[in-house]
Amino acid sequence: MNIVKDVKTFETVTTETLIIGVQKHRGQMKNWDAFSVFSGEAVDAWLRTGEISADRKKIMKLPYAGTNKHIKRILFVGLGERKTLTEDELRETFGLVGMQLKSLKASDATIWLESFTTDAIKESDVAFLAAEGTGLGFYTVPNYKTTSNDVDTYFETIHFVTEADIDEVAASFEVGRIYADAVNEARSLVNLPPNMLTATDIADYATALAKQYDFDIEVLDRAQLQELGMGGILSVNLGSTQEPRLITIKYQARDNWEDVIGLVGKGVTYDTGGYSIKTKTGMVGMKGDMGGAAAILGAMKIIGETRPNQNVVAVIGSTDNMISGDAFKPDDVITMYNGKTVEVLNTDAEGRLVLADATTYAKQQGANYLIDVATLTGGVITALGFDKTGALTNNEAFFDSFMEATIETGEFVWRLPLTENDKKRIRKSTVADLNNSPGSDGHMIFAGGFVGEFAEETPWIHLDIAGTSDAQGPHDLGPKGGTGVMVRSIATFIEQLGEEN
Ligand code: BES
Ligand code: MN
Ligand code: ZN
């Protein structure tokens, strides 16, 4: 992708597609008058007759026939009321622009930045949101149709019409691109069929990522996990012919390996439920049960690109949850990596077992703070729907600082309580320290709370993305399928932590 730093005006720009924001109160738009004159007042006339709309998220495409013969077409992007336009809506609007550009097979575009600015949103913000939004909107789910001729390559050249500092604008655009690319990679991991993405494949992907960005990486196989006694991940893996993997990636930003944030991801490449088997319709889609792992790998990609001043350790537990004569069963009692015993009541409550061992390992690797991310429960969907990530925490201040990042990214997170009574139920068993399925009432809390038993005193945030990781249908920022949710929030949070250092 080529970001052209040679600033153009309407008169001098040579472009296939000129992208222009249209706000309700054009009198308040910077330089609208100049544009109006440039367009020979035609645009104002079209606005009056409705050929172009200033309604939010209405996008109109017109061939350009004005004085500058070097503009092929203009994309008019309705922004609505200037006062109420938020960064989230602008990002989504650019998502729709991305979809348009894709369908136009556009290779070149120019954004008039000032047409998208408001009193609160400045040129460099527009550049960032434009890159992020169009990059996300451009995404296509890879398919294996033998007749497929999809193009999923982003347009090649971007120019700006702007009065702002071009270096600053180009740098913001570049970061937005990095964010979108990383989210799209996480989406593709989620979208991969489970026969094409095993635990070994996730480890190979992580290894390539580590090599690209000069991270330390360690990949533990079945024999090594047995040596360590990681009964959680190993029990889930028992029914599988595929090896499990525990993947640890370290990014050391500072001289000392202290003040380390630990990211823990659920990488279940397929969840049949095991002997507590899922229904035939409930099983479809369980290829996405590695969405937490994908979110962390996506965040690590951004970290690799932007190099924030914050130490990070990422631990991903990966296996599938299958059935065979060797598989674990309800009634089994297993011993976890930290020595705690667990009575298995439900083999479909496997994610918490994988996360628990990965959490212990992250602490051992020096994590002083923990965030786990997982497609953990159907319960979070019942509680919050498909558009909100559910959260738990043992440390409100830590959680509040994470919320600031999610407000910036527009990824909605809502915290549920974790009470002493909930913990009692997780600890209720006549044969073991814990049980893995205290009940179906409020079970998002039991699942996350189980992981909390392994975080212990370490400040910890649990993110249940079962509802948000896999979109049920197309949305403004992309198609049905993997969303890459939490990639942007985690990366933004780590960026913010780095700024405090
Ligand atoms: N992977 C599932 C959770 C899930 C559900 C992810 C829907 C994405 C969409 C998890 O392992 C699971 O099976 N959870 C059970 C727990 C129950 C057996 C206690 C659930 O939520 O039903
Ligand atoms: Mn399950
Ligand atoms: Zn699962």
Side-chain angles (χ1 to χ4, degrees):
M1 156 114 245
N2 178 21
I3 302 173
V4 181
K5 289 198 188 174
D6 179 11
V7 185
K8 299 290 185 181
T9 63
F10 303 123
E11 286 78 11
T12 61
V13 70
T14 298
T15 196
E16 204 179 78
T17 307
L18 178 61
I19 304 168
I20 292 181
V22 187
Q23 307 181 11
K24 281 260 153 84
H25 300 286
R26 284 172 294 284
Q28 291 169 28
M29 288 176 67
K30 214 189 239 178
N31 298 343
W32 181 266
D33 290 348
F35 174 68
S36 193
V37 172
F38 167 74
S39 78
E41 259 97 58
V43 172
D44 291 291
W46 290 333
L47 272 158
R48 274 193 300 276
T49 55
E51 257 83 27
I52 306 172
S53 168
D55 289 352
R56 191 163 295 165
K57 294 186 178 173
K58 276 262 166 59
I59 298 175
M60 310 282 190
K61 172 189 81 182
L62 289 179
Y64 182 73
T67 51
N68 179 346
K69 296 284 183 280
H70 304 291
I71 300 172
K72 190 170 157 196
R73 71 171 81 89
I74 303 184
L75 220 53
F76 292 98
V77 182
L79 298 176
E81 291 282 344
R82 174 187 183 84
K83 272 207 192 99
T84 59
L85 183 66
T86 63
E87 295 201 4
D88 289 346
E89 282 168 312
L90 193 51
R91 182 188 295 107
E92 286 170 1
T93 306
F94 276 117
L96 297 171
V97 170
M99 290 172 198
Q100 276 276 344
L101 292 174
K102 185 172 73 177
S103 74
L104 291 168
K105 295 191 178 18
S107 66
D108 165 285
T110 299
I111 305 175
W112 173 22
L113 292 176
E114 277 76 12
S115 64
F116 293 92
T117 57
T118 68
D119 300 337
I121 303 172
K122 57 183 199 315
E123 284 93 335
S124 60
D125 302 326
V126 173
F128 177 82
L129 295 167
E132 205 175 62
T134 56
L136 294 172
F138 229 85
Y139 179 74
T140 314
V141 178
N143 71 63
Y144 309 92
K145 294 177 201 263
T146 50
T147 53
S148 174
N149 58 358
D150 279 357
V151 277
D152 60 350
T153 45
Y154 195 64
F155 56 91
E156 281 147 29
T157 313
I158 184 86
H159 321 250
F160 301 103
V161 169
T162 187
E163 292 178 345
D165 180 75
I166 190 66
D167 290 318
E168 197 184 317
V169 159
S172 288
F173 193 89
E174 184 69 42
V175 178
R177 282 287 303 148
I178 289 167
Y179 270 67
D181 280 347
V183 172
N184 289 342
E185 277 204 32
R187 288 173 166 182
S188 285
L189 286 174
V190 170
N191 291 329
L192 269 171
N195 58 332
M196 297 187 194
L197 188 76
T198 62
T200 318
D201 295 325
I202 292 193
D204 290 347
Y205 178 90
T207 304
L209 189 82
K211 192 161 178 226
Q212 186 179 357
Y213 295 113
D214 202 23
F215 299 142
D216 281 342
I217 183 160
E218 174 194 73
V219 177
L220 300 179
D221 62 16
R222 185 184 278 145
Q224 290 166 304
L225 296 175
Q226 281 165 346
E227 195 122 316
L228 291 168
M230 291 216 184
I233 182 170
L234 284 169
S235 295
V236 175
N237 179 254
L238 279 175
S240 181
T241 53
Q242 292 290 333
E243 285 239 352
R245 290 287 184 264
L246 190 83
I247 304 154
T248 303
I249 304 172
K250 283 183 184 161
Y251 167 71
Q252 181 159 358
R254 303 162 69 191
D255 291 344
N256 298 318
W257 187 244
E258 54 195 30
D259 184 33
V260 180
I261 178 144
L263 306 175
V264 176
K266 173 178 176 181
V268 172
T269 58
Y270 201 72
D271 183 11
T272 66
Y275 275 100
S276 310
I277 195 165
K278 290 185 181 297
T279 61
K280 56 179 174 274
T281 48
M283 205 180 292
V284 177
M286 282 304 140
K287 67 174 183 175
D289 213 13
M290 30 55 68
I296 287 174
L297 290 167
M300 290 309 292
K301 186 178 168 68
I302 296 172
I303 289 164
E305 291 281 348
T306 60
R307 318 295 299 183
N309 186 27
Q310 172 64 47
N311 294 334
V312 183
V313 60
V315 181
I316 290 165
S318 188
T319 176
D320 45 6
N321 184 20
M322 305 293 283
I323 289 178
S324 83
D326 294 320
F328 79 141
K329 307 165 290 298
D331 288 344
D332 278 355
V333 174
I334 63 177
T335 303
M336 308 294 285
Y337 181 44
N338 75 348
K340 285 188 185 172
T341 55
V342 177
E343 179 183 12
V344 176
L345 296 176
N346 191 326
T347 61
D348 199 10
E350 86 297 343
R352 68 199 75 183
L353 301 173
V354 173
L355 287 170
D357 281 350
T359 298
T360 305
Y361 199 69
K363 287 198 331 183
Q364 227 174 55
Q365 297 302 309
N368 308 100
Y369 311 86
L370 291 163
I371 300 180
D372 80 73
V373 200
T375 49
L376 208 58
T377 65
V380 77
I381 304 172
T382 307
L384 299 174
F386 286 105
D387 57 349
K388 298 166 210 81
T389 293
L392 299 177
T393 189
N394 62 3
N395 186 309
E396 297 204 10
F398 181 45
F399 182 76
D400 287 346
S401 62
F402 178 70
M403 281 303 279
E404 282 174 31
T406 67
I407 286 161
E408 188 152 317
T409 60
E411 296 188 314
F412 201 108
V413 173
W414 194 257
R415 182 160 77 93
L416 283 87
L418 172 59
T419 65
E420 288 309 311
N421 196 43
D422 296 322
K423 292 179 196 169
K424 252 189 221 153
R425 290 184 59 190
I426 295 165
R427 293 171 188 157
K428 187 165 184 272
S429 169
T430 48
V431 293
D433 299 326
L434 307 170
N435 80 81
N436 82 330
S437 188
S440 57
D441 55 317
H443 73 260
M444 177 276 183
I445 294 169
F446 296 136
F450 184 94
V451 183
E453 294 292 317
F454 295 79
E456 298 178 301
E457 302 308 312
T458 307
W460 157 78
I461 297 168
H462 164 66
L463 299 171
D464 192 335
I465 58 170
T468 47
S469 173
D470 220 336
Q472 302 297 296
H475 50 104
D476 291 351
L477 290 176
K480 176 178 185 314
T483 59
V485 73
M486 291 300 123
V487 168
R488 293 187 294 116
S489 293
I490 292 170
T492 301
F493 182 51
I494 288 170
E495 185 78 50
Q496 290 174 357
L497 289 176
E499 281 160 14
E500 288 167 18
N501 289 329

